Amino acid sequence: MFGTVVVGVGIAGLARIRDLMNPMPSSPSEHLKLFGFVSRRSFGNINDAKQISLEDALRSKEIQAAFISTENRSHEETIRMFLEAGKHVLVEYPMALSAKAAHELWEMAEQKDKVLHVEHIELLTEEYKQLKKEVAGKDLVKGTLHFTGHVLDENKTGFPAFSGIARLTWLIDLFGDLTVTSATREKQKDKNYSRMTVHFQTANK
């Protein structure tokens, strides 16, 4: 069995705990053992998983891998700590708030001979796979991707482009490399409203 810990208990972290506690029969998850979860908040237990301190998770010889499901801004620091402690790391997308930091983390994982895996779970859904089939072999002339959500705390999630970067990855996966041609941002603090509009161009314009 491969010992694991989940760091962060938001929507993604809770899903990780649920799936590790009740793995699909004959799936690789059956070989993973959840030793606990780490959170800044005090919970005690969640679904029979016990809360442990970050220090205990880093020191434990029984834990070989960490699943990081915290806010975007803390990903980089948390990855570094677990790699330094000699653990494999799976982190929710995006891995860091800059390409420079991401490359440094890849190099660190390589030096430590550890796996650093970034998971973009939306690209594995049936809906997305169907969308990919529909656009295969077609030329994009013009298109719009519009999505909404509640206003996020930029201190935790980073600049708004990072709040939506998972969706932008759809476009790159579907249509190849993109170039930003313009970007604007509108904010209405009194209405707690923020909107970012970005225009991209494909490689063939």
Side-chain angles (χ1 to χ4, degrees), residues 31-45:
H31 301 288
L32 302 176
K33 180 178 181 182
L34 181 65
F35 277 91
F37 66 89
V38 173
S39 176
R40 291 187 302 264
R41 294 171 290 171
S42 181
F43 288 97
N45 286 10

Side-chain angles (χ1 to χ4, degrees), residues 86-102:
K87 318 287 187 192
H88 302 288
V89 176
L90 179 145
V91 61
E92 305 288 344
Y93 189 93
M95 178 166 64
L97 297 189
S98 74
K100 180 176 181 287

Side-chain angles (χ1 to χ4, degrees), residues 58-184:
L58 292 167
R59 278 196 304 259
S60 174
K61 296 278 193 292
E62 294 179 300
I63 294 172
Q64 288 91 35
F67 292 82
I68 298 174
S69 304
T70 56
E71 62 273 4
N72 295 344
R73 192 171 290 278
S74 70
H75 286 182
E76 180 185 344
E77 182 186 2
T78 312
I79 291 168
R80 285 185 193 279
M81 285 191 290
F82 278 96
L83 287 177
E84 285 286 0
K87 318 287 187 192
H88 302 288
V89 176
L90 179 145
V91 61
E92 305 288 344
Y93 189 93
M95 178 166 64
L97 297 189
S98 74
K100 180 176 181 287
H103 286 296
E104 287 174 3
L105 292 170
W106 288 125
E107 287 170 15
M108 186 178 177
E110 200 169 320
Q111 288 164 6
K112 298 278 185 184
D113 196 27
K114 297 299 170 190
V115 173
L116 171 55
H117 175 71
V118 186
E119 185 159 280
H120 189 347
I121 198 112
E122 289 180 353
L123 301 185
L124 304 176
T125 62
E126 290 306 315
E127 293 86 352
Y128 183 79
K129 288 176 185 175
Q130 183 59 38
L131 176 62
K132 195 161 185 177
K133 279 182 191 172
E134 287 174 16
V135 303
K138 296 177 182 174
D139 288 326
L140 175 66
V141 177
K142 189 176 182 180
T144 301
L145 177 64
H146 179 230
F147 57 95
T148 61
H150 60 279
V151 178
L152 299 171
D153 181 349
E154 289 185 31
N155 290 325
K156 293 180 179 178
T157 60
F159 189 67
F162 270 89
S163 305
I165 201 167
R167 297 317 197 299
L168 301 184
T169 307
W170 289 11
L171 296 178
I172 292 168
D173 188 55
L174 293 170
F175 305 111
D177 286 344
L178 302 170
T179 302
V180 178
T181 58
S182 68
T184 57

